[in-house]
Amino acid sequence: MWDSYGLNQYKFRSASFNEDARGRWYFNVVVDVEVEPIKGQDRIGIDLGLTDTATCSDGTKLEAGRFYRGLEEKLAIAQRA
């Protein structure tokens, strides 16, 4: 078998052979790989606020949802009914 990905370096966990609709065969394998997190990237700070629901230390913002304001009129009608 031709090992184009160097799979002999890894420990196999599970594997399977599959054939597609065009008759081509594939070898699917799950391997154990040790991954080290990038230093400084494994933690993030979160600032909770009023204008934005949350702002992360990497600059990502979670916008405040204003779905309630758009449904106030329908809610008032439903409550009166």
Side-chain angles (χ1 to χ4, degrees), residues 15-68:
S16 66
F17 289 97
N18 297 83
E19 181 181 13
D20 67 5
R22 295 174 59 188
R24 297 176 294 191
W25 284 88
Y26 297 93
F27 177 61
N28 306 299
V29 64
V30 177
V31 298
D32 282 327
V33 178
E34 290 187 27
V35 179
E36 294 182 27
I38 300 170
K39 295 192 188 287
Q41 299 294 323
D42 57 344
R43 291 189 175 88
I44 192 166
I46 300 175
D47 178 29
L48 302 177
L50 298 175
T51 56
D52 296 320
T53 302
T55 303
C56 300
S57 59
D58 66 352
T60 306
K61 291 188 178 190
L62 177 63
E63 299 296 328
R66 302 277 185 217
F67 61 91
Y68 177 75

